[in-house]
Every structure is written in C-alpha cells, then in structure tokens.
Amino acid sequence: MQTLETTQPPVTAALVDTTIHRRKTRPVRVNDVFIGGGHPVVVQSMINEDTLDVEGSVAAIRRLHEMGCEIVRVTVPSMAHAKALAQIKEKLIKTYRDVPLVADVHHNGLKIALEVAKHVDKVRINPGLYVFEKPKSDRTEYTEAEFAEIGDKIRETLEPLVISLRDQDKAMRIGVNHGSLAERMLFTYGDTPEGMVESALEFIRICESLDFRNLVISLKASRVPVMLAAYRLMVQRMDELGMDYPLHLGVTEAGDGEYGRIKSTAGIATLLAEGIGDTIRVSLTEAPEKEIPVCYSILQALGLRKTMVEYVACPSCGRTLFNLEEVLHKVREATKHLTGLDIAVMGCIVNGPGEMADADYGYVGKQPGYISLYRGREEIKKVPEDQGVAELINLIKADDRWVDP
Ligand code: SF4
C-alpha cells in the first residue's frame, strides 16, 4: 500500500555536479588531430569551392584552418576531383602546412574512394549511397534474401576501402543522413532513428570484421528531435555492443542567419551537454568561415573549450548606474584578447557582486559616477566611471595576467 509522505524532505548540503561527463570513446587520429579519447571537441567545416580549382581550394582550406577549423572537408564527386586532391594536399604542405583533410565520397564511389584515400587523412562515406540501389517504384517488400544480397554487395565494395585505410592508418567517418537512408533500411525500419542506427551498425560490423576501428560515426538529420533521438539510440546500442566510437555531431540543412545558428545549437549543444559528441560541424547556408565562431561559442558556453574571454553581464534594469551596453562594449574591446579570463560587467552593487558567477574580475556600478572593481569576490577599489576601463586594465596588469593585444 502506498503511504503519503507528510514531512518535508530534509535539506541537504549535497553539491550538484556541474561538470559535463563526456562519454568515453576511443581516440581516432586524423593526421595530427585526435577525435575522441578525451581530447577537446574538434571543430570541422567544409569548403564549397570546386575541388578541381586547386588554387581556390588551397586558399579556402587555409582560410578555414587559420580561423580555427581543425579538420577541413572537401567533396570528391569524380575521379578527376580525387586526383586534384593530391595537388591540393601537396600545395598546402609546401605553402602552408599539412591540414587534416576529409574527403566526402558519393554514389558507388569505390574507385574514387580508393584514389582519394591516398591523398587525405580521412574518408567519409554515406551508407545510404555508398552502394546505391535505384529504388523500384513497384516494390512492396524486401525479402530477407534480397536484404542479405545487398549486404554482401556492400561488404564486397567496402572491403578494399577499409583495407586501404587500415593499412595506411587513416580514418573513416560512417556518415548516415536521415534524408538519404538506403531503400532497404527504409523498408525494414522505416524513416526512423532505428533505421539510421542500423545502417551505421551494418558498416561498423564490416569494418570490425577487417580489424579496422579508426571510425567516427555521424547520424545527421535536419529535424533536431530526429537527430537527438538517433545519436542517443546510437550511444545506447554501442554501449550494449561494447563499441566506443567517437561521434561527429551536426544538424543538416540548418539554414542561415539567427535561426540556422539556434537550430544547430539546439541539436549539437543538447547532446554535448549530455556528454555525447567528440567533433562538431555547424552547417550554415553561408560562407563556411561563418560556421567556426558558432562552433567555438557552443563549446565555450558549455565550458568544453575556452577560446575567448567569457563575459558575464547583467541585462540591466532600473537600478543600472551606467550605460551597460556601451561599457560592456568598451570592456570587451579592451580585453577580448585575454583568452581564458572571465570578466563581469554588472549594473549595480545590490545584485551585481553576488551574480558575477565567480568571474576573475568585475566591473560593477557603485554609485552615480563611480564604479567598483573586483578581483573575484573581493572589492578592490572604487574609481570614477570615466577611468573604469583603464583601471580595470591596470588591475589585470598588477596581477600579471595582462598580455598586449
Ligand atoms: S545587477 Fe543590478 S543593475 Fe544589473 S540587472 Fe541586476 S539589479 Fe539590475
């Protein structure tokens, strides 16, 4: 029989754990970058130049890499493109550096994949397209025999690529897309996260049977709830099967502008916060360079990577003692190069100091015309507002935490 609890639960002082516990994965090396294995979440993007344009591609790859994109993807729709990659890689090494490159291989692309595997560090295949069966419009079912027959064809086609990558100690991404599941997966599992996961598992098993485990898995969808469900199910299935492959996160066709960024963040950050994900790409319908700051902002906001100063600022209210937007802008301009610091700009001393969230330094409205500077929770000095930014810099310098921009 159920009894009703009438007393209040005791108030305990137990601290809530605020760290993100990342899922344990195996490290997969892509040139000199590691995905998984406890390494920082890797940022990726993709150039949109035609790979046949060697000069243009080299410049685009370099631009992205200089901005912080750690692995750059290129598309390889034909054998000529695959061969161009040899020149692109060579030119990068000669004129810049050996940037980790991934090549995207398309429909029935074994020959192309084998060629490009010689020139890049990782090959991405899409299980839905790798062995492409033209859908039959009158089909009503897939028999077990038909299912297995295509399975054999996939194995036959995948084997040489797996062996090539294995022997060169290179990596592969098994990149499932919700929008391009193979017909037989659609018949068997429907247009579902289960179909996406089974599609990835089929390819993983082939790789494992050939003793190749340099694998990264992705299960992208353009609908965030589908993408979330697919990655979570993949993790569950991998746990059951004792697999520890790192995951590449992304929301496909997220669009552009503010909504594209929010949609990507909703998918990617939700999983990262659960400890899922080892590398990310934000896909925007904009210049690829625009994707990199979004990736870093997501990682910074979650505390997974620190690539800029973390500013804590109140939204301002009737108590605000100065023009907060203007002051925050000035403080940011003066200190944005001090990566690693947390700086708070708060409108008043009533709530400001308590809400600075353990920032290293605080700039807080004290009384009309005056602000107070804080080091951590300690109030250091009161200064006239017009000297606030200069005095903040002096304080950081006195602490030996300043570097010139
Ligand atoms: S810190 Fe002060 S000024 Fe800022 S929102 Fe809170 S109460 Fe208002």
Side-chain angles (χ1 to χ4, degrees):
M1 197 177 79
Q2 251 188 337
T3 53
L4 284 176
E5 195 67 63
T6 49
T7 50
Q8 293 290 321
V11 177
T12 60
L15 290 176
V16 175
D17 187 359
T18 58
T19 32
I20 292 176
H21 295 281
R22 292 179 59 201
R23 175 180 157 256
K24 284 206 168 54
T25 54
R26 67 174 51 231
V28 172
R29 188 177 65 79
V30 181
N31 198 330
D32 60 352
V33 170
F34 283 89
I35 300 176
H39 289 271
V41 177
V42 174
V43 169
Q44 305 200 29
S45 181
M46 183 170 185
I47 60 164
N48 48 20
E49 267 70 14
D50 183 342
T51 320
L52 290 178
D53 172 7
V54 173
E55 295 295 329
S57 297
V58 167
I61 292 166
R62 180 172 178 162
R63 241 182 356 255
L64 271 180
H65 190 265
E66 282 175 338
M67 284 195 70
C69 174
E70 294 156 306
I71 298 179
V72 182
R73 185 150 59 108
V74 295
T75 186
V76 189
S78 76
M79 190 54 112
H81 289 82
K83 292 202 160 131
L85 246 305
Q87 295 173 51
I88 290 172
K89 189 72 160 173
E90 199 186 298
K91 200 149 199 151
L92 277 170
I93 294 170
K94 260 198 199 140
T95 61
Y96 178 53
R97 49 158 291 175
D98 190 2
V99 178
L101 294 183
V102 187
D104 225 346
V105 176
H106 301 258
H107 291 194
N108 299 327
L110 176 62
K111 279 195 185 136
I112 298 170
L114 283 176
E115 174 63 28
V116 85
K118 294 189 234 160
H119 316 304
V120 297
D121 308 288
K122 180 173 156 204
V123 173
R124 182 265 167 137
I125 53 155
N126 176 344
L129 302 175
Y130 188 68
V131 171
F132 187 64
E133 293 292 312
K134 218 168 169 223
K136 284 188 194 152
S137 56
D138 57 346
R139 186 189 285 285
T140 53
E141 61 158 4
Y142 252 98
T143 62
E144 253 178 60
E146 281 176 312
F147 196 97
E149 192 189 319
I150 298 178
D152 290 344
K153 206 160 155 193
I154 290 173
R155 166 174 279 280
E156 238 170 68
T157 318
L158 191 61
E159 258 186 31
L161 176 63
V162 170
I163 290 167
S164 163
L165 292 171
R166 182 195 69 193
D167 293 351
Q168 295 182 81
D169 195 22
K170 291 183 174 178
M172 179 192 277
R173 166 152 71 99
I174 299 175
V176 177
N177 266 5
H178 183 232
S180 53
L181 278 182
E183 195 194 28
R184 81 197 220 291
M185 286 294 165
L186 287 174
F187 266 92
T188 315
Y189 301 98
D191 186 7
T192 59
E194 286 82 353
M196 296 170 73
V197 169
E198 287 307 321
S199 187
L201 285 173
E202 179 175 41
F203 276 61
I204 294 175
R205 288 193 185 100
I206 297 172
C207 294
E208 287 191 340
S209 73
L210 294 163
D211 202 19
F212 178 62
R213 291 180 174 77
N214 300 344
L215 299 173
V216 179
I217 316 298
S218 67
L219 304 116
K220 298 189 187 183
S222 62
R223 295 194 187 282
V224 172
V226 175
M227 174 261 189
L228 294 176
Y231 280 99
R232 286 176 182 144
L233 182 62
M234 188 74 211
V235 167
Q236 189 193 319
R237 295 286 284 128
M238 282 203 281
D239 286 349
E240 286 163 10
L241 295 163
M243 294 174 179
D244 59 355
Y245 299 110
L247 292 168
H248 165 127
L249 307 183
V251 176
T252 51
E253 294 98 25
D256 64 352
E258 187 178 58
Y259 189 65
R261 285 161 174 77
I262 291 175
K263 194 171 175 182
S264 291
T265 306
I268 293 171
T270 301
L271 292 169
L272 287 174
E274 293 169 18
I276 297 171
D278 304 276
T279 177
I280 64 172
R281 183 205 173 185
V282 166
S283 311
L284 294 178
T285 316
E286 295 180 29
E289 292 90 286
K290 299 279 181 70
E291 298 176 358
I292 309 305
V294 188
C295 291
Y296 279 114
S297 295
I298 291 172
L299 297 174
Q300 169 105 8
L302 288 167
L304 287 169
R305 287 186 81 164
K306 210 152 188 190
T307 51
M308 48 195 165
V309 175
E310 181 82 17
Y311 292 97
V312 178
C314 76
S316 84
C317 72
R319 284 202 172 109
T320 312
L321 292 169
F322 51 82
N323 184 333
L324 221 129
E325 224 178 308
E326 202 181 291
V327 169
L328 176 60
H329 180 76
K330 275 193 207 155
V331 169
R332 182 183 280 124
E333 280 311 301
T335 59
K336 65 182 178 205
H337 60 288
L338 302 174
T339 303
L341 283 191
D342 289 11
I343 298 176
V345 179
M346 309 296 279
C348 75
I349 50 161
V350 182
N351 293 325
E355 291 178 8
M356 290 195 300
D358 294 327
D360 299 303
Y361 295 98
Y363 180 117
V364 183
K366 176 87 173 171
Q367 65 195 64
Y370 283 86
I371 60 108
S372 260
L373 293 174
Y374 283 70
R375 181 195 295 116
R377 290 177 182 267
E378 191 192 348
E379 186 175 357
I380 303 297
K381 61 173 163 182
K382 182 174 102 172
V383 297
E385 200 199 316
D386 58 1
Q387 293 166 26
V389 177
E391 287 294 336
L392 172 66
I393 294 172
N394 286 340
L395 177 61
I396 300 173
K397 281 183 175 164
D399 288 353
D400 229 2
R401 299 183 82 176
W402 178 265
V403 283
D404 286 328

